[in-house]
Amino acid sequence: MLTSSFETLASASSSSDSDTGGASPPPRKKHRASAAEGAGEPGASAVVTGLSGVVLGLATHSQATSAIHFNRSVVNNLSGSMQANGAGQGQESSELSCLNSAQNGESSSAGGTHSNGLLSSTDNGNSVGTSNGSSIGTSSAASTASGSEVGSLKKKKRLSQAEEDVIRLIGQHLHGLGLNQTVDLLMQESGCRLEHPSATKFRNHVMEGEWDKAENDLNELRALMHSPNAIVVSFPLHRPAQTSTSQSARMKFLLLQQKYLEYLEDGKVLEALQVLRGELTPLKYNTDRIHVLSGYLMCSHAEDLRAKAEWEGKGTASRCRLLDKLQTYLPPSVMLPPRRLHTLLRQAVELQRDRCLYHNTKLDSNLDSVSLLLDHVCSRKQFPCYTQQILTEHCNEVWFCKFSNDGTKLATGSKDTTVIIWQVDPESHQVKLLRTLEGHAYGVSYLAWSPDDTYLIACGPDDCSELWLWNVQTGELRTKMSQSHEDSLTSVAWNPDGKRFVTGGQRGQFYQCDLDGNLLDSWEGVRVQCLWCLSDGRAVLASDTHQRIRGYNFEDLTDRNIVQEDHPIMSFTVSKNGRLALLNVATQGVHLWDLQDRVLVRKYQGVTQGFYTIHSCFGGHNEDFIASGSEDHKVYIWHRRGELPIAELTGHTRTVNCVSWNPAIPGLMASASDDGTVRVWGPAPFLDSQEADGLNENCSNMDS
């Protein structure tokens, strides 16, 4: 009777779907039917096989619905028959569950449920289902095979060391944000460990102020340290204490110091004294600090203690700071260094900035000020490569120019015997004439601002024996100095105290004078080409006619050789930190020397340097750039770490004698030329948003 019913349904199905109409079940289904028959239940196996074939043959919604109701009736009858026979119950129960689920709109399949509610079943890896959202599972054997395939896909991929490190870094960062549940889930799913359990226990004890337990934790962590003596431990009296580095001793010292301070803040003076005498002092570490700590016993109240110790007080803030210090002594496999991800991101931003050819602004170390989604880039149009002003007030060659130390003024000296002081507008960066200083009969070839910018000293060319000391604020001449008509005072440098200066020339004069021109000291026989006073106020650097730079000490009258070149040094300047010297060398160009190591660091290419005196300069943010004039009428700019110029500025029509970079405005520069003009250079004057988006002249990596 069951067979006849299936045949009737199959013939009805064939009238509407010629493709499937009563087709034989797939070979796999036949194999399973044969196996069932061999097991002693031929009737049940045939019914199940025929049922699967009918389900797979349905093509329309109405046919599927009719089949589901019909099949439920059939399977219910079949179930009763199998219960009577007591065989085949397990397999058919599986089909019954699947069919009932399909009728009730439930999903039960090895293929899983999609987000849109569709159920898919798998047969040999191919998805079989209906388009109207109803589907029926395959046999349990197919489901089992599919489940094993999915299980194999879900096997966790073994993480590399780099991947584990990234997960730990992310976990630490999330933990710092207070997303602890997210961290737990991340560690659980990845199978990683944020930190060693001993380190976690140590952290908890420190944050809870359980100092004895924290000290015991240090002993547990000892086995995890790189060095077996990384932590100071107590040893029996009969056993000599192991030696340890000051770094490892500091771990226990910091722990006990926090314990001591918290006792003091709580008013437990006796307990604090016991820590000081019985625990801190026996460490024999940083005895000077122990003396300071003992002085805190005299503090009358907690506020006084916190102020003198520069300490946040007992609580989360000071303990977190303590943990940050302690973490630096533990290997990262045990406990990550504090805020490690933040540190790496900041280093990446700083590296991009350092490799940027045109970066010329201060970069805030706070990551909130930059975007981590884009690489750092600066455009050449943001760099001082464009003429902003041409100053034509001089009527002859302009030999020198120099911005004041505060960047608010510019002084220019000319062959026309005048010095012009220019005012720099801090907002528009425009330069306007402030006053003119006259009377320099031989012309002005060198200028030097006093450290506080109150005074300006002007020197002449080789045959000039005089120098002028001007009060810039009033425009009055304070001192006109001349020791002898045979002198040649061509260079000058201020002592950092602003009360003295040194001057000299190529005829063998080398003097130290006060503001009134009185001679304080002299050094005989030194033919000076250029001078510079170091920040210590004692040493004076002088280039001489022997192609060298020597250091002279006027206090003990000693001198030493620092730089030796193979060609005449026409001029030189020193960086703000006193470490680097920039030399203009005849026929060679611009050389960078390390004064501390006394080595030639770099030779810059491109510039044309003969025997004219050309003055170059450091400049830009952090003095990352070097600029120099040239006999080919150009201004050359280099990044300090690259030998090739990053910019060649044109506009002058004769030799460019001097370049000065504004120390307060990194995007402002001035150049003086024999063409009688002073050019003020700055960023591109107009930079709209469309231009900025279309810039291709961005910074690139340097091969230095």
Side-chain angles (χ1 to χ4, degrees), residues 151-198:
S152 64
L153 292 176
K154 288 185 176 179
K155 287 183 179 178
K156 289 183 179 178
K157 171 190 171 185
R158 181 176 179 84
L159 298 176
S160 66
Q161 184 62 51
E163 290 170 333
E164 290 184 8
D165 291 345
V166 170
I167 290 174
R168 292 183 64 204
L169 292 173
I170 294 174
Q172 185 194 43
H173 184 71
L174 295 176
H175 178 75
L177 297 176
L179 304 177
N180 297 328
Q181 293 182 356
T182 305
V183 175
D184 294 340
L185 182 60
L186 175 63
M187 295 300 130
Q188 179 182 357
E189 187 171 356
S190 65
C192 295
R193 186 172 64 184
L194 184 58
E195 59 188 16
H196 195 279
S198 298

Side-chain angles (χ1 to χ4, degrees), residues 571-638:
S571 68
F572 76 93
T573 185
V574 178
S575 61
K576 291 180 180 178
N577 60 14
R579 178 70 184 263
L580 301 174
L582 194 62
L583 285 60
N584 282 77
V585 183
T587 71
Q588 301 300 301
V590 181
H591 292 180
L592 182 67
W593 280 79
D594 187 314
L595 297 179
Q596 180 174 320
D597 296 337
R598 303 183 189 182
V599 295
L600 176 63
V601 177
R602 192 160 290 110
K603 296 180 179 181
Y604 297 101
Q605 303 178 19
V607 68
T608 302
Q609 170 79 62
F611 287 91
Y612 286 106
T613 299
I614 295 177
H615 300 272
S616 56
C617 67
F618 293 97
H621 174 66
N622 201 33
E623 293 191 327
D624 285 334
F625 302 97
I626 288 169
S628 177
S630 176
E631 294 182 17
D632 63 1
H633 315 163
K634 297 178 182 179
V635 175
Y636 288 85
I637 301 177
W638 301 266

Side-chain angles (χ1 to χ4, degrees), residues 341-463:
L341 180 60
H342 184 277
T343 299
L344 291 174
L345 292 175
R346 189 181 68 250
Q347 290 174 350
V349 171
E350 291 175 353
L351 178 62
Q352 290 186 18
R353 178 204 64 185
D354 291 340
R355 295 174 69 87
C356 176
L357 287 179
Y358 298 107
H359 181 77
N360 193 29
T361 57
K362 183 178 180 181
L363 186 64
D364 193 344
S365 59
N366 187 357
L367 292 180
D368 293 336
S369 63
V370 299
S371 172
L372 299 178
L373 306 180
L374 297 171
D375 288 343
H376 173 83
V377 291
C378 293
S379 167
R380 188 179 187 272
K381 293 194 174 183
Q382 299 168 307
F383 204 67
C385 297
Y386 302 86
T387 301
Q388 287 190 343
Q389 284 180 271
I390 302 176
L391 311 179
T392 59
E393 276 71 11
H394 285 293
C395 56
N396 208 327
E397 299 174 356
V398 185
W399 289 339
F400 200 84
C401 63
K402 186 71 174 178
F403 281 103
S404 60
N405 298 296
D406 62 7
T408 62
K409 297 178 180 64
L410 171 68
T412 58
S414 172
K415 186 178 179 180
D416 65 6
T417 73
T418 66
V419 172
I420 299 180
I421 308 297
W422 311 83
Q423 185 72 44
V424 179
D425 188 292
E427 300 297 332
S428 66
H429 300 169
Q430 291 294 301
V431 175
K432 63 179 181 179
L433 192 148
L434 181 62
R435 61 173 48 91
T436 301
L437 310 177
E438 300 177 342
H440 311 85
Y442 296 91
V444 179
S445 63
Y446 196 85
L447 295 167
W449 291 89
S450 64
D452 61 359
D453 295 325
T454 300
Y455 298 105
L456 181 71
I457 295 179
C459 299
D462 291 343
D463 52 353

